[in-house]
Amino acid sequence: GEKISAAFGIPLAAPVEMIASLYTVPFEMATSLKREDLHGFRDKIFSEYKIEIPAMTVNGKAYLRFSANVYNYSEEYDALIAVLKQIFGGKS
């Protein structure tokens, strides 16, 4: 959660010691989203980059859920961050 939050300048939703293997991050969008829009985004990420990431909307805001496990490598998160920065922008 720390790496992704830092990459996009999003404050952690809880203290680090409370964040386990699942972490949901809100992403700011220029316009309000419908569920179908975000599902299209999720499908595009998978088809183009082979990255599977749950995506949801609540009151028009986008949320992505990240899962960290022992079989994931730091480089995989770096690749995901790079893809998300292309789409959402973010801190350099």
Side-chain angles (χ1 to χ4, degrees):
E2 288 178 272
K3 185 177 228 180
I4 292 163
S5 289
F8 294 94
I10 300 169
L12 291 172
V16 173
E17 58 272 6
M18 292 180 67
I19 298 172
S21 63
L22 291 176
Y23 186 63
T24 302
V25 177
F27 279 83
E28 294 294 324
M29 301 294 289
T31 60
S32 186
L33 287 176
K34 295 180 186 169
R35 182 182 304 209
E36 299 81 22
D37 299 330
L38 201 54
H39 287 186
F41 156 78
R42 177 202 62 198
D43 295 344
K44 177 180 175 158
I45 294 270
F46 182 74
S47 67
E48 291 184 20
Y49 302 98
K50 303 303 180 226
I51 298 172
E52 189 168 357
I53 186 165
M56 62 213 81
T57 61
V58 176
N59 296 325
K61 293 183 181 178
Y63 293 86
L64 302 178
R65 190 178 71 203
F66 301 88
S67 177
N69 286 290
V70 295
Y71 49 80
N72 294 119
Y73 297 98
S74 182
E75 296 82 13
E76 293 175 310
Y77 294 102
D78 293 338
L80 174 60
I81 288 168
V83 168
L84 294 176
K85 280 186 176 185
Q86 286 178 6
I87 296 165
F88 292 103
K91 290 170 71 175
S92 303

